[in-house]
Amino acid sequence: MTQNVKGYESIKPLLYPESVAVLGASENKYKIGNIQLQALIDGKFQGEIFPIHPTADQIAGLKSYSSLTDVPNSIDLVIFCIAYDQIKNGLIECAEKKVKAAIIFASGFSEAGEEGKKLQLELAEFAKLNNIRLLGPNCVGLVNTSNGLIGTFSSSVLWVPMTGKRGVGYVSQSGAFGVLTYMAAAQHGVNFNYFISSGNEMDTTLEDYIEYMVNDDEIEVISGYIEGAKNPEKLKLAALKALEKRKPIVLMKTGRSDAGSRAAASHTGALAGSDKIYDAFFRQNGIIRVEDSEDVIAFAKLFNPNRLPKGRNTAIITSSGGRGINEADRCESYGLNIVELSEKTKTEMRKSLPDYASVSNPIDLTAAASFANTEFFLDTLKVLVNSPEVDNIILTEFPHSWDEHNKYFQEFMTVAKNSDKFICFFPFPLGDITYPKTTPILVENEIAVVSGALNPVSALAQLVEYGQFLDRYQPNEMEEVFAHENVVDLLTPNATLSESEASEILARYGIPTTQRFVVNSQEEAIERAQQVGFPVVMKIDSQHIPHKTEADAIRLNISSEDEVIQAFDEIMSNARNYNPTAILNGVSVQEMLPKGTEIIIGAKCDEVFGPVIMAGLGGIFVEVFKDISFKVAPLSRKDAYALLEELQAKTILDGARGQAPADKEAIVDVLLRVSQLMMDHKDKIKELDINPLIVYEKGIKAVDAMIVIAEENIKKELIGG
């Protein structure tokens, strides 16, 4: 038997069951089986509830059954409140009853060692064969506030207010952290439609729930906590569909350590820590990465699908000079531009503001505006909404004396509603007096109100970036395919290819390389140097000496026959001394290129995302400056250009200080060809470096290259594999 329902719809019984059985229901109020049963009752679950207990006739006022098969009605969802060693029998009973879904809280599976991992795989396969979708194990369950499904033993989720903004879904790979985020969000006025703790992800994964929420019309913002992606291809497809539907995906990703990358052979391998690749994957697919749960909550409060910021230019209205400066500093640090207001705008403000007020940005109305002259807030807003240089308006204070009947407040709301500016209020956190009494009306009328405790400036910057990404996004942009020669004969298993071998692979994929010849004698070296034309470069060619500078086995600007002879002898001698066991193919004699801009293009086959492409400032300083950026292959032309735009060195490529601009089109062409090479041979090529790649005003050439090949017959499960 195989899964009958395909795709995201198959997990609907987990979120919208019509009936729920609590396996392991208990009469003891301190046991998980009682806590879970009571949570369903207290949450007012809109469906049938069946306690399962071997002997009880009734629990919590509900008829109890001795087994799942004794229940006369059909069961959509079973919540396992039983021990680790009883799970297998419970699933067998679910199969007999044709249950559609189950939540497993118990731990002791893959997180506990090999035996637990073996049992988890066995149970996952059994559930798949019997069409049972599973959440967990080792999770705290889920909550659906739309139908009262409190499928968690963490009954503290019932202690929070339920009067906040809805339309937000949240899935977490950490149970306890997820519960805390759910509660904090509710206390700050955001009630998640869904809270899902994915646990060990025996069957359903974080990506499955994100995909479901993308297709749920009730969800406007998809958020979560992720430690690692299990199905990055599904996450990518969900993210692209979310972009088409203008639904932001906001993820808090932990683990910024680059541990494990230091042993890599190439520059790319050394620099491509897992966190950098997650960053690249998120940026590439429009996923918003945040640093903490507060960022998730603040973004959810700010987001309005009908009113997105149009740019970074921001004006601040404050009644405290110090607070205004503080927020201005914060805005600039997150990439928002505290725009210099035009003289026309300043002149208009001076017409209604006193001389002691500051009309520079941030606009300081002084304390008088909060108490005696509240109309200053209205007068200033009227001017700013008509200022073409302003995209966003932040208020750091708002009159507490205003109520819904106040004429200034009513006019303020009319002005705000009729404006296309993004207007928001970030009050200083002051406990019970943080929010003025008009806050609900402000929120209802699309003015976001977010406590300063949530760092809303950071969230606003993320929202601006998201809006700009949407403006640039072009769906269905495909990678380009280039004609090329076969390279399989050069992919020696478990080897670091010599420069000549690596360069030949590049050349077969249409990437320009220097003219070169590998020689084994002084005489041949002289002959080839004359053929190439002086000056030439000479360097060792060996699979066992990938970094020739370290071996002192490279000579530049060789200009005569005598210098060729001397260089040949020194290179061979130094190479033997550096690695006496190395197999030396000989000395490579190649053209000496004129000066240009040195960049690096590299690639790595990541164990999670598959082929990843890197570019940055090249030469010997690549690991010093680390001005690099990544994209996950396959690359589109837009991806390749975006990769270059993310570099600090883009000003050099554009032609800094009167220098001629570099041939970006040629760089993009190489990036796309490297992407295709890696995708064609992702089961064979582990790492690739082209360093330096010299780019000119017109044209480009690879000077040095290295390719690391995987062991024979070893294939990893990668994207697109």
Side-chain angles (χ1 to χ4, degrees):
M1 186 182 296
T2 57
Q3 199 76 30
N4 292 322
V5 181
K6 294 183 179 180
Y8 65 92
E9 292 177 337
S10 67
I11 65 174
K12 190 171 183 179
L14 278 162
L15 295 166
Y16 286 94
E18 294 182 6
S19 56
V20 176
V22 178
L23 186 60
S26 174
E27 298 172 288
N28 186 335
K29 66 179 182 179
Y30 298 108
K31 289 196 172 181
I32 190 172
N34 185 278
I35 295 170
Q36 173 59 83
L37 185 63
Q38 197 61 51
L40 287 167
I41 296 169
D42 293 343
K44 297 180 173 57
F45 171 61
Q46 298 170 14
E48 296 181 287
I49 305 172
F50 306 117
I52 309 299
H53 186 280
T55 59
D57 293 325
Q58 192 179 79
I59 303 177
L62 298 173
K63 179 174 173 54
S64 182
Y65 298 88
S66 60
S67 69
L68 293 173
T69 53
D70 285 341
V71 177
N73 306 56
S74 62
I75 301 172
D76 288 337
L77 173 65
V78 174
I79 302 177
F80 282 49
C81 297
I82 54 179
Y84 159 88
D85 56 358
Q86 298 174 299
I87 301 296
K88 185 174 182 179
N89 289 336
L91 272 180
I92 292 171
E93 200 173 342
C94 285
E96 292 175 8
K97 185 62 180 173
K98 299 191 183 307
V99 168
K100 297 174 184 175
I103 299 172
I104 302 174
F105 298 137
S107 56
F109 292 90
S110 63
E111 82 284 359
E114 287 304 315
E115 284 300 312
K117 183 183 289 187
K118 182 179 177 182
L119 178 59
Q120 180 169 311
L121 290 171
E122 179 186 336
L123 296 182
E125 183 62 27
F126 178 84
K128 183 178 180 181
L129 289 171
N130 288 279
N131 295 330
I132 305 169
R133 299 310 310 261
L134 301 176
L135 174 63
N138 190 30
C139 72
V140 300
L142 61 81
V143 172
N144 182 349
T145 56
S146 300
N147 63 357
L149 176 61
I150 311 298
T152 174
F153 57 86
S154 183
S155 57
S156 55
V157 298
L158 292 165
W159 302 347
V160 294
M162 293 300 296
T163 56
K165 176 179 178 178
R166 294 179 53 75
V168 182
Y170 184 85
V171 55
S172 174
Q173 289 181 331
S174 168
F177 188 83
V179 170
L180 292 172
T181 302
Y182 174 94
M183 296 175 68
Q187 289 169 345
H188 282 286
V190 177
N191 294 121
F192 295 153
N193 289 39
Y194 307 123
F195 158 65
I196 303 153
S197 161
S198 61
N200 287 10
E201 302 186 345
M202 178 192 291
D203 171 36
T204 59
T205 66
L206 173 138
E207 295 89 349
D208 291 319
Y209 295 104
I210 289 177
E211 181 188 34
Y212 184 91
M213 289 187 278
V214 169
N215 290 282
D216 185 337
D217 292 339
E218 298 297 316
I219 297 297
E220 293 180 349
V221 177
I222 301 157
S223 61
Y225 167 93
I226 179 173
E227 293 172 355
K230 280 197 172 179
N231 192 336
E233 179 64 13
K234 177 173 278 191
L235 181 56
K236 174 182 177 179
L237 293 175
L240 297 181
K241 189 167 186 179
L243 286 169
E244 292 178 21
K245 293 193 169 194
R246 300 175 74 84
K247 287 187 181 186
I249 298 176
V250 186
L251 297 180
M252 175 186 169
K253 168 70 177 70
T254 55
R256 287 195 176 274
S257 169
D258 288 347
S261 67
R262 300 181 188 91
S266 70
H267 292 292
T268 307
L271 293 166
S274 63
D275 191 70
K276 291 186 178 72
I277 297 173
Y278 271 98
D279 256 348
F281 178 82
F282 288 171
R283 284 197 309 270
Q284 199 169 345
N285 295 295
I287 297 172
I288 300 156
R289 181 175 184 174
V290 296
E291 296 298 320
D292 214 329
S293 57
E294 287 87 352
D295 298 323
V296 171
I297 301 166
F299 188 96
K301 289 177 73 70
L302 280 173
F303 179 74
N304 181 335
N306 302 313
R307 189 185 286 263
L308 288 175
K310 297 184 181 299
R312 296 183 178 275
N313 287 352
T314 304
I316 297 172
I317 302 174
T318 184
S319 60
S320 162
R323 181 92 200 283
I325 294 168
N326 181 248
E327 291 298 87
D329 288 346
R330 204 189 306 271
C331 285
E332 293 280 357
S333 71
Y334 286 111
L336 297 174
N337 179 28
I338 300 302
V339 63
E340 184 175 347
L341 300 175
S342 68
E343 282 305 316
K344 179 180 178 182
T345 298
K346 291 179 182 178
T347 299
E348 285 298 311
M349 282 193 287
R350 289 192 186 102
K351 290 178 181 179
S352 55
L353 296 181
D355 292 340
Y356 54 79
S358 170
V359 294
S360 297
N361 193 12
I363 302 145
D364 182 10
L365 307 180
T366 76
S370 294
F371 302 102
N373 299 103
T374 56
E375 70 275 13
F376 291 170
F377 284 95
L378 170 60
D379 295 335
T380 307
L381 183 70
K382 282 181 178 179
V383 176
L384 291 179
V385 296
N386 291 309
S387 300
E389 67 265 31
V390 174
D391 301 312
N392 314 303
I393 301 170
I394 297 175
L395 295 109
T396 67
E397 289 84 33
F398 199 80
H400 278 253
S401 62
W402 284 0
D403 60 24
E404 60 183 310
H405 304 295
N406 183 283
K407 65 177 183 178
Y408 296 137
F409 176 71
Q410 291 175 346
E411 189 176 355
F412 186 97
M413 296 309 304
T414 300
V415 171
K417 281 195 293 184
N418 292 329
S419 169
D420 64 350
K421 308 295 185 188
F422 190 86
I423 303 170
C424 43
F425 169 33
F426 300 159
F428 195 88
L430 293 170
D432 293 339
I433 61 170
T434 296
Y435 303 105
K437 51 181 169 286
T438 51
T439 295
I441 303 173
L442 292 170
V443 174
E444 286 171 17
N445 287 276
E446 301 182 340
I447 296 179
V449 181
V450 188
S451 167
L454 294 172
N455 194 5
V457 171
S458 171
L460 177 57
Q462 296 276 18
L463 186 59
V464 169
E465 191 128 340
Y466 174 72
Q468 292 179 335
F469 191 95
L470 283 180
D471 290 340
R472 299 190 303 267
Y473 176 64
Q474 296 176 347
N476 304 319
E477 186 178 8
M478 302 299 292
E479 70 272 17
E480 298 177 30
V481 178
F482 300 92
H484 61 86
E485 299 177 42
N486 196 334
V487 299
V488 173
D489 59 307
L490 295 173
L491 303 179
T492 307
N494 199 27
T496 299
L497 302 185
S498 71
E499 181 191 337
S500 62
E501 294 166 330
S503 296
E504 176 62 21
I505 289 174
L506 299 183
R508 291 187 189 183
Y509 266 76
I511 296 170
T513 62
T514 57
Q515 184 184 14
R516 71 188 64 240
F517 299 96
V518 178
V519 302
N520 285 284
S521 68
Q522 296 174 346
E523 294 75 19
E524 191 179 4
I526 292 171
E527 180 184 348
R528 292 302 189 185
Q530 290 172 335
Q531 183 177 345
V532 170
F534 290 112
V536 297
V537 175
M538 297 174 65
K539 58 181 84 168
I540 198 66
D541 191 75
S542 171
Q543 288 188 352
H544 302 107
I545 306 178
H547 299 305
K548 294 170 277 293
T549 302
E550 293 178 6
D552 191 21
I554 179 171
R555 296 292 183 270
L556 306 177
N557 208 29
I558 304 300
S559 301
S560 68
E561 294 182 8
D562 289 342
E563 289 181 9
V564 168
I565 294 170
Q566 181 181 349
F568 181 89
D569 291 342
E570 289 176 352
I571 288 170
M572 292 295 286
S573 175
N574 291 347
R576 291 191 184 100
N577 290 336
Y578 179 77
N579 186 349
T581 63
I583 297 174
L584 307 181
N585 300 327
V587 174
S588 177
V589 179
Q590 56 191 259
E591 61 180 312
M592 180 83 184
L593 295 178
K595 185 179 179 182
T597 302
E598 293 189 1
I599 64 169
I600 178 174
I601 289 179
K604 173 188 175 183
C605 223
D606 183 74
E607 62 182 9
V608 175
F609 293 103
V612 177
I613 312 301
M614 178 266 273
L617 192 66
I620 62 173
F621 299 111
V622 59
E623 290 190 56
V624 176
F625 296 118
K626 297 183 179 179
D627 180 18
I628 55 173
S629 187
F630 293 88
K631 296 289 178 189
V632 176
L635 300 188
S636 67
R637 187 163 289 270
K638 183 188 73 174
D639 290 330
Y641 273 107
L643 193 156
L644 298 181
E645 283 299 305
E646 290 167 8
L647 298 173
Q648 294 178 28
K650 69 179 180 180
T651 54
I652 297 174
L653 299 178
D654 289 335
R657 295 192 175 183
Q659 297 296 312
D663 189 345
K664 282 189 179 180
E665 185 62 33
I667 303 173
V668 166
D669 186 75
V670 174
L671 284 167
L672 294 176
R673 291 174 187 272
V674 168
S675 172
Q676 183 175 331
L677 170 62
M678 292 299 295
M679 292 302 295
D680 289 347
H681 302 286
K682 59 190 171 188
D683 59 328
K684 297 182 177 68
I685 300 178
K686 289 171 62 178
E687 297 173 19
L688 177 152
D689 266 2
I690 310 173
N691 182 39
L693 183 68
I694 300 184
V695 58
Y696 301 99
E697 186 176 2
K698 193 67 178 175
I700 196 168
K701 271 195 179 180
V703 174
D704 202 344
M706 183 182 70
I707 296 177
V708 182
I709 310 300
E711 293 181 34
E712 196 169 15
N713 299 324
I714 292 182
K715 291 188 179 183
K716 296 180 180 179
E717 296 180 5
L718 301 169
I719 288 180

